[in-house]
Amino acid sequence: MSTSEIDRSAWDLDPETTYLNHGSFGPTPRRVIESRERWSRRLAAQPMRFLVREMEQHLDESLAVLANFIGTSPRNLVFVDNATYGMNVAARSIPLGAGDRVIVTDHEYGAVMRIWRERCRETGAAFSVQSLPDPLGDVPSLVNAFFDGVTSETRVIVLSHVTSQTAAIFPVKEICRAARRRNIAVCIDGPHAIAMVPVNLDDLDCDFYCASGHKWLSAPIGSGFLYVAPRWQHRLVPPIISWGGSVSGRPACWQDEFLWQGTRDPAGFLAVADAVRFLETAGVARFREHGHRLAAAARAGLQELTGLPALLPDSPDWYGTMIAMPIPGEVAESHQHGRRDPLQTALWRDHGIEVPVYAWKRRRFLRVSCHLYNTDADVEKLLAALRQLL
């Protein structure tokens, strides 16, 4: 049996679908699904024992595995439903007022922009979108272009570690260092970075880092986390108020406000440890190399097909297991969320290929995401379909 077959067998994938959209919603491996189900059955067998006496310890153990994977202490992390939830916590917790500014890049995710626009509207702060070089060329130029928009009134920098719109790996460490010198808080949206690229949060030294486990880590949907630097941990504003404090009677900690927000099944959080173990067993470096090789093949094929240049240099320093490529045609921004581009619909309906087509800066893009279950044949099938449809 080939390596690709072994990898694909770890997932219960729809045989009728060529799935090249792990970056939006990653299919969960069978081993991780079984882990989540075991935890749910354990809860159902004796809810009082599990929720009141055991849950906090098990969450601590799962969080410790995750913390080791992303380079920080479990004391700096808390499980949340997803990156959107974590970003809302960060936005509510950073004090802002009239005269303050929040700055994002023009590559930022739409939901993140909406969160911070609303926060600025409520507080009277200014919301600023800084344009970056197009195409992106080198790290110093990107960092300099971004900080051209930073002023003495800037209080918060918000940026993606790996962008959803353009699949670019941003130099977040360099930006964090420059922001620290200016005493500006940095909030990073990191769903695409976890597992795709090495992450060491203690070395990064950002203020907040929000992520979802259901992307490249392949944890269950609904298993995200929020990193909070120690300087912010006792200044958080939880979006849901419940009892607070420990349900098992242990000493209280800042995570308590998030661990018990009414009764819920924590099985997805507890399965995160097995998601990490699954990926480590499969080989994290092998996953990154395999996914990047397929993304690079998609990039080359699309560029040859359309004649349109990529936004990013052809290097694993700039993109990982996901690539976004321009394609012909102009589309309305409404296609970005809600309405679907006709090409995306045709690829799914006529060819069984799941891949997003969307608008960014009034241009049309197709984004290809590749995990261990994907093969060269998947990319070749996509390119053959596009030769017909374009």
Side-chain angles (χ1 to χ4, degrees):
M1 183 177 287
S2 71
T3 300
S4 61
E5 289 172 326
I6 292 171
D7 292 333
R8 188 175 179 85
S9 71
W11 281 264
D12 290 322
L13 299 170
D14 179 1
E16 303 299 319
T17 300
T18 299
Y19 201 80
L20 289 166
N21 193 20
H22 199 101
S24 289
F25 312 106
T28 309
R30 188 183 310 106
R31 171 178 168 179
V32 180
I33 293 172
E34 291 169 351
S35 172
R36 182 189 61 195
E37 291 173 348
R38 283 196 304 273
W39 286 115
S40 288
R41 286 195 296 270
R42 189 165 173 175
L43 163 62
Q46 221 285 35
M48 185 69 182
R49 179 182 63 206
F50 187 85
L51 291 171
V52 176
R53 304 186 190 108
E54 299 176 350
M55 179 183 70
E56 289 177 343
Q57 178 184 342
H58 294 316
L59 285 169
D60 286 347
E61 292 166 355
S62 185
L63 207 59
V65 173
L66 174 64
N68 183 65
F69 187 71
I70 57 178
T72 191
S73 165
R75 294 189 299 272
N76 299 331
L77 299 176
V78 67
F79 284 122
V80 294
D81 290 351
N82 46 52
T84 299
Y85 190 108
M87 189 65 72
N88 273 272
V89 173
R92 294 289 169 185
S93 300
I94 298 176
L96 291 172
D100 295 334
R101 295 179 76 241
V102 174
I103 186 170
V104 304
T105 80
D106 57 350
H107 292 242
E108 197 48 68
Y109 190 54
V112 171
M113 285 193 174
R114 186 172 182 230
I115 290 167
W116 286 96
R117 278 197 186 99
E118 179 63 18
R119 177 63 173 156
C120 288
R121 186 191 66 78
E122 292 174 350
T123 61
F127 180 81
S128 176
V129 180
Q130 180 66 13
S131 295
L132 299 181
D134 186 358
L136 296 172
D138 60 83
V139 168
S141 296
L142 187 158
V143 174
N144 290 336
F146 182 63
F147 276 91
D148 281 345
V150 172
T151 69
S152 59
E153 290 78 32
T154 302
R155 299 291 174 261
V156 186
I157 287 171
V158 182
L159 77 158
S160 292
H161 193 160
V162 177
T163 66
S164 176
Q165 308 280 63
T166 53
I169 300 172
F170 271 3
V172 291
K173 185 174 180 177
E174 290 83 350
I175 290 173
C176 283
R177 297 287 162 84
R180 186 69 51 235
R181 293 193 295 269
R182 295 166 170 81
N183 198 31
I184 300 172
V186 179
C187 184
I188 297 178
D189 189 43
H192 285 289
I194 304 304
M196 183 199 285
V197 298
V199 175
N200 186 314
L201 293 180
D202 285 349
D203 182 58
L204 190 58
D205 193 28
C206 60
D207 295 88
F208 296 90
Y209 195 106
C210 317
S212 299
H214 69 261
K215 295 184 184 287
W216 303 101
L217 189 60
S218 297
I221 289 176
S223 58
F225 73 84
L226 172 64
Y227 163 87
V228 183
R231 54 187 171 269
W232 288 99
Q233 289 172 5
H234 296 287
R235 303 164 64 183
L236 295 184
V237 180
I240 297 175
I241 302 298
S242 186
W243 285 99
S246 166
V247 295
S248 65
R250 69 179 183 183
C253 62
W254 70 270
Q255 291 103 323
D256 290 338
E257 290 286 356
F258 300 87
L259 295 181
W260 189 270
Q261 296 192 336
T263 308
R264 61 178 173 177
D265 184 351
F269 300 151
L270 297 171
V272 166
D274 276 308
V276 173
R277 295 184 189 110
F278 168 82
L279 197 57
E280 289 178 335
T281 300
V284 178
R286 186 168 70 90
F287 150 66
R288 291 170 181 159
E289 292 165 3
H290 175 77
H292 177 76
R293 183 181 65 80
L294 293 180
R299 169 195 168 110
L302 280 160
Q303 191 159 322
E304 180 181 2
L305 176 64
T306 67
L308 298 175
L311 291 176
L312 310 172
D314 191 6
S315 165
D317 293 333
W318 280 99
Y319 70 97
T321 55
M322 178 173 73
I323 188 70
M325 291 294 293
I327 58 174
E330 184 174 303
V331 292
E333 292 296 331
S334 59
H335 284 146
Q336 171 59 29
H337 192 76
R339 292 172 55 198
R340 294 289 170 254
D341 188 288
L343 177 61
Q344 179 173 340
T345 301
L347 284 166
W348 160 244
R349 182 192 61 219
D350 302 333
H351 299 272
I353 299 171
E354 199 71 82
V355 67
V357 179
Y358 55 90
W360 181 72
K361 297 180 75 171
R362 306 298 297 177
R363 284 178 285 173
R364 202 175 184 208
F365 281 81
L366 183 145
R367 194 186 72 187
V368 181
S369 307
C370 304
H371 212 289
L372 282 167
Y373 54 81
N374 291 117
T375 65
D376 293 280
D378 293 338
V379 175
E380 291 163 5
K381 181 179 178 181
L382 171 65
L383 294 173
L386 290 171
R387 289 187 192 102
Q388 296 179 31
L389 295 170
L390 290 178

